[in-house]
Amino acid sequence: MTNKPTIRDVAKHANVSPATVSYVLNGVKKVSDKTKIRVLEAIEQLGYYPDFTAVSLSKRKSNLIGIMLPLTDDMPDNATASVLKNNLYYNEFISGVEMVAREQQFDTLLTGVADQEECRKWVKKRNLDGLIFLGIFPKSIFEQMSKLGIPIVLIDTYEEYTKLFNNVQIDDELGGYLAANHLIKLGHKNIAFVSTNLNLSPVDTKRFTGFKKALNEAGLEVNNHLLFETREITFENGMEIAEKILNENKELTGIVTVSDILAIGMIKAFQYHQKHVPNDFSIVGFDDLSISQFTTPSLTTIKQDIFKKGEKAAELLMNNIGDQGVERQIIELPVQLVVRESTKKIVSN
Amino acid sequence: MTNKPTIRDVAKHANVSPATVSYVLNGVKKVSDKTKIRVLEAIEQLGYYPDFTAVSLSKRKSNLIGIMLPLTDDMPDNATASVLKNNLYYNEFISGVEMVAREQQFDTLLTGVADQEECRKWVKKRNLDGLIFLGIFPKSIFEQMSKLGIPIVLIDTYEEYTKLFNNVQIDDELGGYLAANHLIKLGHKNIAFVSTNLNLSPVDTKRFTGFKKALNEAGLEVNNHLLFETREITFENGMEIAEKILNENKELTGIVTVSDILAIGMIKAFQYHQKHVPNDFSIVGFDDLSISQFTTPSLTTIKQDIFKKGEKAAELLMNNIGDQGVERQIIELPVQLVVRESTKKIVSN
DNA sequence: TTGTACGCGTTATCAT
DNA sequence: ATGATAACGCGTACAA
C-alpha cells in the first residue's frame, strides 16, 4: 500500500504503545534510550512522519501562520489578489516571512479581510498559530484580534490602539527627512510631497513630519499646494499626479514620494509630456524595490529592506508562538538614502 | 466563554444529534425541513462554523492547495523566498490562483521543493487537495506525484512525460514568432535570441522554434553566435548579456528575449554604455509585466495574461478536486504582441 | 510505559 | 423517510 503509516503502525512495529512513539517524537524524556532507538528505527523503516492535521487537531496548533492584507470596503471581493498583483512591496515582504516560517516547519497563509468577523473566522477555522498584519486596519479589528489569544505582529503601525502588539517598523520620519534633505542640499526650494491620504496613513504622516522638519530646518516654507494625496499606490496614480502637477502648472522642482511605485509612474508621465527627470524634476522614491535600480532614470530613493522586514516579523512571531508571555517588542529597521539618477542639483537661474 | 462552539453544542441547542447537524451542514438530504430550520437557527445563534482541521482529519480533505516552485539543487535552502522575491511573474500568477481558490473556500500554500520526497511529505503532512507546479521539474518528481492521487495542474510544460496531467499554457512558439516577426518587419536582419538554457527549458525552446521560423520565412539565417543563454532570469543577468554583446562587438540590431526582466536589465546596461534603445538596439520582451509599460523606454513585448493563467490553473484544479475522473485538459491562453517604445524601424545605411 | 479518552466532524450502521 | 449512536481519522497527554 502507498498508505501513509500512522503512529500506531510505528508502535506495532517497535512493540511499544502509540504514546511512547509520540513521546519519542516530541522529545518528552520519559523513554529509555533502548526503546527510543527501537522506535526511531521503526520510524525510519516505515518512513513515518506525523500528519499535521491530526497534530493540529489534538494540540490545537496548526503550524500555520497568516498574513493579513487590508481590504477596504470599497474594493471588490477579489481584492486580495489585486493588492498582491500591483504591490511589489508585499511580494518581497511575504518572501521574507515565508523563508523564516519554512525554516521552522511553518507554512504561511495569505488573506485579505474586509471585516473582523471574517478575520476571526479565518483564524479559528484554520487554527492559525500567529498572525501578521500588513497594512492599515480599523481599530475594531484589533480589539477582536486581541481576544483571539494568538501572537500578533503588526507592521508599520503608529496608532495608539496598536501599542499592545508587537511591531516591526522603520524610522519613517527619518525617511521623510532624508528624502527632503537630499533635495534641499541639491538646491531645491519648491518641493512637493506625494503620498496616500494622510488622514488614513500614519506612516505617510510620519514621513510628512520628517519632510516638514527638513524644510523647516532649511528655512523653507511648507506649501500646502505642494501636497498631493492619492487613494492608492499604483503606477497609474503616480502618472495622474504628475499630470495634475503639469496641468496646474505647479511651481516645483523637487518631489518626495512615499513609494517607488508612485515615483516610477510620475517619471513616466513627465517623460510623456516632454519633461525630463532629473533635469526638470528631481524625484525621490521610497522603498528601493528591486526594480528601482533598473528604471530610467534609476531611482534615488529611501531604501528599506522589505525582505528583512518580513524576516523579522516572522522571527518575532515565531518567538511569541514558541513561548507565550514574551514581552511585546518593537523592532525598528534602518532606512537609508540611496542616491541614483532621478535627482540632481538644481540649475540656478 | 469565548470558546468556539462545536458541533455538539449546536446539537444540544437544537435538541438533535451531532450527526444531524453535520447532515444539515453538508446538505445531506436526510433531514426534515423543520429540524433543518431548528439546526440552522442554533447555528446562527451560537455563531457556529466548522473547524477545518477537524473536517480535514475526518474527510481527508484540507481545502488547501499547494503551489510548487522549483528549486534546483545548487540553490540555497531558502531559495523559495528568493525565487519569489525576484520574479514578478510568480507574483501575478499566485495572485490569480489565490483569488479563485479563496472564492471556493480554499487557501493556498506555497513551497519550493528540492526533491520529490520532500514534496510528497509536504502534500501528505498537510493533506493538500491539489497541486500546481509552476516551473520546470525533473521527471522523477512527476512519477512520485502521480502516485499521490490528488489532482495536479502543470504550467507551461511540454515534456512528453507530463502529458498525463492538466496543463495551462500559452502558444510559446507563436510568441517567439511574433516577436521575431515584429523585428523583421521593422527591417532588422541581425536578431539575437536571449533565453535561459535551451536544454533545460522546453518553453524557451518553443519560443526559439517560433523565432527561427520567422527568420526562415523571411529568408534570414539563424546565426548561432546570436543565441545567448543565461542560467536564471534576473535583471542582473540581463545586464550581463548586454555587456557581453557590447564586449564581443556582436553585429546585431534586434533582440528577442524570453522575459521582460531580462529585457529591462539589458536596456539598463545598454544605456549605461551610451547605447540607445531603440536607436541602437530594438528589444522585445516577453510577459508584459505590470512594470513593463512604465520603464523607459516602455517595453515592446509579447503579452501573456499571467494573472489569468493563475486563475485558469486554479479553476482547473478546483474542477478536478470537485469530481475526480474529469478528463485531463490542456488550456491554451493567447499571446499578443504589444508594441511600445523599445523597438523601432531600423535606419538603413 | 501503557491504555485510553480526547479534540471535532463525518459517515456507516442501526432504529423508529 | 428521519434521525440517533458510535466508530473513525491520527496524534496527544493524563491517569494508571
Side-chain angles (χ1 to χ4, degrees), chain B residues 36 54 88 119-120 136 162 166 180 184 222 245 279 295 306:
Chain B
K36 187 189 286 186
L88 307 167
C119 171
R120 206 177 62 85
I136 302 165
T162 65
N166 297 290
I184 292 167
V222 177
I245 286 175
N279 287 348
T295 56
I306 299 172

mmCIF file with all atom_site columns, all heavy atoms in Angstrom, chain B residues 36 54 88 119-120 136 162 166 180 184 222 245 279 295 306:
data_model
loop_
_atom_site.group_PDB
_atom_site.id
_atom_site.type_symbol
_atom_site.label_atom_id
_atom_site.label_alt_id
_atom_site.label_comp_id
_atom_site.label_asym_id
_atom_site.label_entity_id
_atom_site.label_seq_id
_atom_site.pdbx_PDB_ins_code
_atom_site.Cartn_x
_atom_site.Cartn_y
_atom_site.Cartn_z
_atom_site.occupancy
_atom_site.B_iso_or_equiv
_atom_site.pdbx_formal_charge
_atom_site.auth_seq_id
_atom_site.auth_comp_id
_atom_site.auth_asym_id
_atom_site.auth_atom_id
_atom_site.pdbx_PDB_model_num
ATOM 1   N N   . LYS B 1 36  ? -34.287 20.893 10.106  1.00 0.00 ? 36  LYS B N   1
ATOM 2   C CA  . LYS B 1 36  ? -33.239 21.656 9.438   1.00 0.00 ? 36  LYS B CA  1
ATOM 3   C C   . LYS B 1 36  ? -33.273 23.119 9.896   1.00 0.00 ? 36  LYS B C   1
ATOM 4   O O   . LYS B 1 36  ? -32.253 23.719 10.221  1.00 0.00 ? 36  LYS B O   1
ATOM 5   C CB  . LYS B 1 36  ? -33.417 21.585 7.918   1.00 0.00 ? 36  LYS B CB  1
ATOM 6   C CG  . LYS B 1 36  ? -32.251 22.215 7.171   1.00 0.00 ? 36  LYS B CG  1
ATOM 7   C CD  . LYS B 1 36  ? -32.523 22.351 5.675   1.00 0.00 ? 36  LYS B CD  1
ATOM 8   C CE  . LYS B 1 36  ? -32.448 21.008 4.978   1.00 0.00 ? 36  LYS B CE  1
ATOM 9   N NZ  . LYS B 1 36  ? -32.561 21.153 3.508   1.00 0.00 ? 36  LYS B NZ  1
ATOM 10  N N   . ALA B 1 54  ? -10.611 19.740 11.905  1.00 0.00 ? 54  ALA B N   1
ATOM 11  C CA  . ALA B 1 54  ? -11.369 18.523 12.191  1.00 0.00 ? 54  ALA B CA  1
ATOM 12  C C   . ALA B 1 54  ? -11.981 17.960 10.919  1.00 0.00 ? 54  ALA B C   1
ATOM 13  O O   . ALA B 1 54  ? -11.943 16.754 10.672  1.00 0.00 ? 54  ALA B O   1
ATOM 14  C CB  . ALA B 1 54  ? -12.451 18.817 13.219  1.00 0.00 ? 54  ALA B CB  1
ATOM 15  N N   . LEU B 1 88  ? 8.744   38.617 -10.709 1.00 0.00 ? 88  LEU B N   1
ATOM 16  C CA  . LEU B 1 88  ? 7.448   39.267 -10.704 1.00 0.00 ? 88  LEU B CA  1
ATOM 17  C C   . LEU B 1 88  ? 6.406   38.394 -11.372 1.00 0.00 ? 88  LEU B C   1
ATOM 18  O O   . LEU B 1 88  ? 5.226   38.497 -11.110 1.00 0.00 ? 88  LEU B O   1
ATOM 19  C CB  . LEU B 1 88  ? 7.560   40.604 -11.426 1.00 0.00 ? 88  LEU B CB  1
ATOM 20  C CG  . LEU B 1 88  ? 8.686   41.467 -10.860 1.00 0.00 ? 88  LEU B CG  1
ATOM 21  C CD1 . LEU B 1 88  ? 8.984   42.638 -11.761 1.00 0.00 ? 88  LEU B CD1 1
ATOM 22  C CD2 . LEU B 1 88  ? 8.309   41.940 -9.474  1.00 0.00 ? 88  LEU B CD2 1
ATOM 23  N N   . CYS B 1 119 ? 8.623   16.882 -1.362  1.00 0.00 ? 119 CYS B N   1
ATOM 24  C CA  . CYS B 1 119 ? 7.355   17.290 -1.934  1.00 0.00 ? 119 CYS B CA  1
ATOM 25  C C   . CYS B 1 119 ? 6.231   16.379 -1.479  1.00 0.00 ? 119 CYS B C   1
ATOM 26  O O   . CYS B 1 119 ? 5.173   16.823 -1.057  1.00 0.00 ? 119 CYS B O   1
ATOM 27  C CB  . CYS B 1 119 ? 7.493   17.272 -3.456  1.00 0.00 ? 119 CYS B CB  1
ATOM 28  S SG  . CYS B 1 119 ? 5.950   17.495 -4.313  1.00 0.00 ? 119 CYS B SG  1
ATOM 29  N N   . ARG B 1 120 ? 6.483   15.106 -1.562  1.00 0.00 ? 120 ARG B N   1
ATOM 30  C CA  . ARG B 1 120 ? 5.485   14.122 -1.155  1.00 0.00 ? 120 ARG B CA  1
ATOM 31  C C   . ARG B 1 120 ? 5.112   14.327 0.308   1.00 0.00 ? 120 ARG B C   1
ATOM 32  O O   . ARG B 1 120 ? 3.956   14.318 0.688   1.00 0.00 ? 120 ARG B O   1
ATOM 33  C CB  . ARG B 1 120 ? 6.044   12.717 -1.348  1.00 0.00 ? 120 ARG B CB  1
ATOM 34  C CG  . ARG B 1 120 ? 5.017   11.627 -1.564  1.00 0.00 ? 120 ARG B CG  1
ATOM 35  C CD  . ARG B 1 120 ? 5.716   10.312 -1.824  1.00 0.00 ? 120 ARG B CD  1
ATOM 36  N NE  . ARG B 1 120 ? 6.523   9.923  -0.677  1.00 0.00 ? 120 ARG B NE  1
ATOM 37  C CZ  . ARG B 1 120 ? 6.035   9.255  0.373   1.00 0.00 ? 120 ARG B CZ  1
ATOM 38  N NH1 . ARG B 1 120 ? 4.767   8.928  0.405   1.00 0.00 ? 120 ARG B NH1 1
ATOM 39  N NH2 . ARG B 1 120 ? 6.820   8.927  1.381   1.00 0.00 ? 120 ARG B NH2 1
ATOM 40  N N   . ILE B 1 136 ? 9.778   24.248 -14.001 1.00 0.00 ? 136 ILE B N   1
ATOM 41  C CA  . ILE B 1 136 ? 10.313  23.018 -14.556 1.00 0.00 ? 136 ILE B CA  1
ATOM 42  C C   . ILE B 1 136 ? 10.778  22.093 -13.445 1.00 0.00 ? 136 ILE B C   1
ATOM 43  O O   . ILE B 1 136 ? 11.519  22.501 -12.565 1.00 0.00 ? 136 ILE B O   1
ATOM 44  C CB  . ILE B 1 136 ? 11.501  23.317 -15.473 1.00 0.00 ? 136 ILE B CB  1
ATOM 45  C CG1 . ILE B 1 136 ? 11.059  24.264 -16.582 1.00 0.00 ? 136 ILE B CG1 1
ATOM 46  C CG2 . ILE B 1 136 ? 12.062  22.034 -16.061 1.00 0.00 ? 136 ILE B CG2 1
ATOM 47  C CD1 . ILE B 1 136 ? 12.222  24.882 -17.303 1.00 0.00 ? 136 ILE B CD1 1
ATOM 48  N N   . THR B 1 162 ? 4.895   14.657 -19.128 1.00 0.00 ? 162 THR B N   1
ATOM 49  C CA  . THR B 1 162 ? 3.916   15.448 -18.378 1.00 0.00 ? 162 THR B CA  1
ATOM 50  C C   . THR B 1 162 ? 2.550   15.360 -19.025 1.00 0.00 ? 162 THR B C   1
ATOM 51  O O   . THR B 1 162 ? 1.597   15.971 -18.576 1.00 0.00 ? 162 THR B O   1
ATOM 52  C CB  . THR B 1 162 ? 4.319   16.924 -18.331 1.00 0.00 ? 162 THR B CB  1
ATOM 53  O OG1 . THR B 1 162 ? 4.286   17.442 -19.667 1.00 0.00 ? 162 THR B OG1 1
ATOM 54  C CG2 . THR B 1 162 ? 5.698   17.107 -17.752 1.00 0.00 ? 162 THR B CG2 1
ATOM 55  N N   . ASN B 1 166 ? -3.002  17.805 -16.221 1.00 0.00 ? 166 ASN B N   1
ATOM 56  C CA  . ASN B 1 166 ? -3.602  19.022 -16.751 1.00 0.00 ? 166 ASN B CA  1
ATOM 57  C C   . ASN B 1 166 ? -2.519  20.048 -17.016 1.00 0.00 ? 166 ASN B C   1
ATOM 58  O O   . ASN B 1 166 ? -1.478  20.042 -16.373 1.00 0.00 ? 166 ASN B O   1
ATOM 59  C CB  . ASN B 1 166 ? -4.582  19.606 -15.735 1.00 0.00 ? 166 ASN B CB  1
ATOM 60  C CG  . ASN B 1 166 ? -5.733  18.680 -15.464 1.00 0.00 ? 166 ASN B CG  1
ATOM 61  O OD1 . ASN B 1 166 ? -6.578  18.488 -16.315 1.00 0.00 ? 166 ASN B OD1 1
ATOM 62  N ND2 . ASN B 1 166 ? -5.759  18.101 -14.278 1.00 0.00 ? 166 ASN B ND2 1
ATOM 63  N N   . ALA B 1 180 ? 9.913   37.882 -33.225 1.00 0.00 ? 180 ALA B N   1
ATOM 64  C CA  . ALA B 1 180 ? 10.905  37.963 -34.299 1.00 0.00 ? 180 ALA B CA  1
ATOM 65  C C   . ALA B 1 180 ? 10.315  38.660 -35.518 1.00 0.00 ? 180 ALA B C   1
ATOM 66  O O   . ALA B 1 180 ? 10.936  39.537 -36.128 1.00 0.00 ? 180 ALA B O   1
ATOM 67  C CB  . ALA B 1 180 ? 11.379  36.557 -34.662 1.00 0.00 ? 180 ALA B CB  1
ATOM 68  N N   . ILE B 1 184 ? 11.591  41.803 -37.734 1.00 0.00 ? 184 ILE B N   1
ATOM 69  C CA  . ILE B 1 184 ? 11.869  41.638 -39.159 1.00 0.00 ? 184 ILE B CA  1
ATOM 70  C C   . ILE B 1 184 ? 11.121  42.689 -39.976 1.00 0.00 ? 184 ILE B C   1
ATOM 71  O O   . ILE B 1 184 ? 11.670  43.316 -40.878 1.00 0.00 ? 184 ILE B O   1
ATOM 72  C CB  . ILE B 1 184 ? 11.464  40.222 -39.621 1.00 0.00 ? 184 ILE B CB  1
ATOM 73  C CG1 . ILE B 1 184 ? 12.405  39.189 -38.989 1.00 0.00 ? 184 ILE B CG1 1
ATOM 74  C CG2 . ILE B 1 184 ? 11.490  40.118 -41.144 1.00 0.00 ? 184 ILE B CG2 1
ATOM 75  C CD1 . ILE B 1 184 ? 11.934  37.753 -39.116 1.00 0.00 ? 184 ILE B CD1 1
ATOM 76  N N   . VAL B 1 222 ? 19.589  31.913 -39.321 1.00 0.00 ? 222 VAL B N   1
ATOM 77  C CA  . VAL B 1 222 ? 19.701  31.900 -37.861 1.00 0.00 ? 222 VAL B CA  1
ATOM 78  C C   . VAL B 1 222 ? 21.158  31.721 -37.483 1.00 0.00 ? 222 VAL B C   1
ATOM 79  O O   . VAL B 1 222 ? 21.771  30.704 -37.797 1.00 0.00 ? 222 VAL B O   1
ATOM 80  C CB  . VAL B 1 222 ? 18.865  30.762 -37.255 1.00 0.00 ? 222 VAL B CB  1
ATOM 81  C CG1 . VAL B 1 222 ? 19.048  30.729 -35.747 1.00 0.00 ? 222 VAL B CG1 1
ATOM 82  C CG2 . VAL B 1 222 ? 17.393  30.935 -37.621 1.00 0.00 ? 222 VAL B CG2 1
ATOM 83  N N   . ILE B 1 245 ? 27.351  41.327 -25.214 1.00 0.00 ? 245 ILE B N   1
ATOM 84  C CA  . ILE B 1 245 ? 27.083  41.717 -26.597 1.00 0.00 ? 245 ILE B CA  1
ATOM 85  C C   . ILE B 1 245 ? 27.973  42.888 -27.001 1.00 0.00 ? 245 ILE B C   1
ATOM 86  O O   . ILE B 1 245 ? 28.556  42.907 -28.085 1.00 0.00 ? 245 ILE B O   1
ATOM 87  C CB  . ILE B 1 245 ? 25.593  42.084 -26.775 1.00 0.00 ? 245 ILE B CB  1
ATOM 88  C CG1 . ILE B 1 245 ? 24.745  40.811 -26.757 1.00 0.00 ? 245 ILE B CG1 1
ATOM 89  C CG2 . ILE B 1 245 ? 25.372  42.864 -28.077 1.00 0.00 ? 245 ILE B CG2 1
ATOM 90  C CD1 . ILE B 1 245 ? 23.244  41.059 -26.800 1.00 0.00 ? 245 ILE B CD1 1
ATOM 91  N N   . ASN B 1 279 ? 17.208  53.120 -30.629 1.00 0.00 ? 279 ASN B N   1
ATOM 92  C CA  . ASN B 1 279 ? 18.008  53.562 -31.773 1.00 0.00 ? 279 ASN B CA  1
ATOM 93  C C   . ASN B 1 279 ? 19.134  52.600 -32.134 1.00 0.00 ? 279 ASN B C   1
ATOM 94  O O   . ASN B 1 279 ? 19.350  52.292 -33.306 1.00 0.00 ? 279 ASN B O   1
ATOM 95  C CB  . ASN B 1 279 ? 18.583  54.955 -31.515 1.00 0.00 ? 279 ASN B CB  1
ATOM 96  C CG  . ASN B 1 279 ? 17.503  56.023 -31.615 1.00 0.00 ? 279 ASN B CG  1
ATOM 97  O OD1 . ASN B 1 279 ? 16.403  55.741 -32.092 1.00 0.00 ? 279 ASN B OD1 1
ATOM 98  N ND2 . ASN B 1 279 ? 17.803  57.228 -31.161 1.00 0.00 ? 279 ASN B ND2 1
ATOM 99  N N   . THR B 1 295 ? 8.663   51.394 -17.728 1.00 0.00 ? 295 THR B N   1
ATOM 100 C CA  . THR B 1 295 ? 10.100  51.562 -17.883 1.00 0.00 ? 295 THR B CA  1
ATOM 101 C C   . THR B 1 295 ? 10.339  52.563 -19.007 1.00 0.00 ? 295 THR B C   1
ATOM 102 O O   . THR B 1 295 ? 9.417   52.936 -19.724 1.00 0.00 ? 295 THR B O   1
ATOM 103 C CB  . THR B 1 295 ? 10.766  50.222 -18.255 1.00 0.00 ? 295 THR B CB  1
ATOM 104 O OG1 . THR B 1 295 ? 10.133  49.719 -19.426 1.00 0.00 ? 295 THR B OG1 1
ATOM 105 C CG2 . THR B 1 295 ? 10.609  49.217 -17.127 1.00 0.00 ? 295 THR B CG2 1
ATOM 106 N N   . ILE B 1 306 ? -0.675  36.644 -17.209 1.00 0.00 ? 306 ILE B N   1
ATOM 107 C CA  . ILE B 1 306 ? -0.184  35.734 -16.188 1.00 0.00 ? 306 ILE B CA  1
ATOM 108 C C   . ILE B 1 306 ? -1.178  35.569 -15.059 1.00 0.00 ? 306 ILE B C   1
ATOM 109 O O   . ILE B 1 306 ? -1.352  34.488 -14.516 1.00 0.00 ? 306 ILE B O   1
ATOM 110 C CB  . ILE B 1 306 ? 1.160   36.256 -15.646 1.00 0.00 ? 306 ILE B CB  1
ATOM 111 C CG1 . ILE B 1 306 ? 2.176   36.311 -16.791 1.00 0.00 ? 306 ILE B CG1 1
ATOM 112 C CG2 . ILE B 1 306 ? 1.675   35.359 -14.547 1.00 0.00 ? 306 ILE B CG2 1
ATOM 113 C CD1 . ILE B 1 306 ? 3.461   36.981 -16.433 1.00 0.00 ? 306 ILE B CD1 1
#
